[in-house]
Amino acid sequence: MTTALWRRALAEGVGTAVLVAVVVGSGIQATVLSHDVGVQLLANSLATVFGLGVLIALLGPVSGAHFNPVVTLAAWWTGRRGRDGLAPRDVVAYLPAQIIGAIGGAILADAMFARPLVRWSTHNRFAGHLWLGEIVATAGLVALIFGLSRTGRAHQAPVAVASYIGAAYWFTSSTSFANPAVTIGRAFTDTFAGIAPASLPPFIAAQLLGGALGLILVTAVFGRLSPSAADEVVLPHGEQQLAEPLTTKAP
């Protein structure tokens, strides 16, 4: 039996909230502990790598651990002709959960550090080279996720996806948001990890374009995705209910 949709949506909301809390909270902590921007970015990226890896490993078996509207939309698109892919009702449940979770995560991080709960970011990120960075970061992320699925290595996602995001922090000009929900959440905090609301539309457009390019890339390299493979993003999920505690099983 598949996991109930409300449980999967809850997992997406909680996972995205914790992810944004990690990104924003570690950014605040880094600026408190160091005035060196390089050290701040290093601390922020390391915390994100570890946090994301743990979240994927924990919640992947429940919802697939998307935590990202681009990944959800890509999973729906590739599996739309199959019985096991994401249904439109799944997308309708996942996307609001991710966005609400991201906003809640930013508020939670600010609360933990005694910051104003909601203060719009003044960190302007409105520039063409940053949009290009988001296209590259998101295309690589989608290509990685679906490439792992296509080659039967989705179980490596916790390490692979977290490692890629950590690397993309450093090799992309935008520091790799690569996620519309996280981008929206980060607009609610005027801290190191924030993004000004006016910078949101082109960032999100670049991420959506990057997601489409990522699907084109993985199809060109690995061949057309099968509907069954599309359901294994980020981790295989929904094929059975969560395991019962061992104590409930007869010897």
Side-chain angles (χ1 to χ4, degrees):
M1 297 177 62
T2 59
T3 304
L5 178 57
W6 74 267
R7 292 187 188 276
R8 289 185 279 133
L10 178 61
E12 286 295 303
V14 170
T16 310
V18 175
L19 174 59
V20 173
V22 169
V23 172
V24 174
S26 63
I28 297 173
Q29 187 77 284
T31 57
V32 171
L33 297 177
S34 175
H35 296 293
D36 187 297
V37 176
V39 173
Q40 293 170 358
L41 186 60
L42 178 61
N44 194 210
S45 61
L46 284 177
T48 303
V49 167
F50 295 140
L52 180 57
V54 168
L55 288 170
I56 294 174
L58 176 64
L59 298 177
V62 180
S63 68
H66 298 185
F67 312 144
N68 188 333
V70 169
V71 174
T72 297
L73 290 171
W76 165 75
W77 178 259
T78 56
R80 68 193 186 284
R81 293 189 179 92
R83 292 180 301 175
D84 297 328
L86 283 185
R89 71 187 188 99
D90 298 324
V91 177
V92 170
Y94 275 33
L95 265 58
Q98 293 161 351
I99 294 171
I100 294 170
I103 295 171
I107 294 173
L108 175 61
D110 281 336
M112 288 192 292
F113 287 90
R115 301 294 180 96
L117 297 186
V118 176
R119 175 176 289 177
W120 297 114
S121 175
T122 57
H123 193 163
N124 179 41
R125 300 179 189 263
F126 197 94
H129 68 283
L130 300 181
W131 306 335
L132 177 59
E134 281 301 287
I135 293 173
V136 171
T138 312
L141 175 63
V142 169
L144 170 63
I145 290 171
F146 284 86
L148 289 174
S149 176
R150 182 67 177 80
T151 56
R153 295 180 294 167
H155 61 280
Q156 297 179 1
V159 173
V161 173
S163 297
Y164 172 79
I165 291 298
Y169 254 88
W170 291 90
F171 80 77
T172 64
S173 56
S174 62
T175 65
S176 182
F177 286 47
N179 185 328
V182 169
T183 303
I184 292 171
R186 290 167 68 164
F188 282 74
T189 176
D190 192 18
T191 57
F192 178 80
I195 176 173
S199 299
L200 292 181
F203 252 63
I204 293 174
Q207 292 159 357
L208 293 172
L209 175 58
L213 292 176
L215 285 181
I216 293 172
L217 177 61
V218 77
T219 300
V221 173
F222 298 105
R224 187 172 296 278
L225 290 165
S226 65
S228 61
D231 193 45
E232 296 185 355
V233 181
V234 170
L235 287 179
H237 68 284
E239 295 302 318
Q240 58 186 13
Q241 290 183 327
L242 298 179
E244 297 179 354
L246 293 178
T247 55
T248 66
K249 295 182 180 292

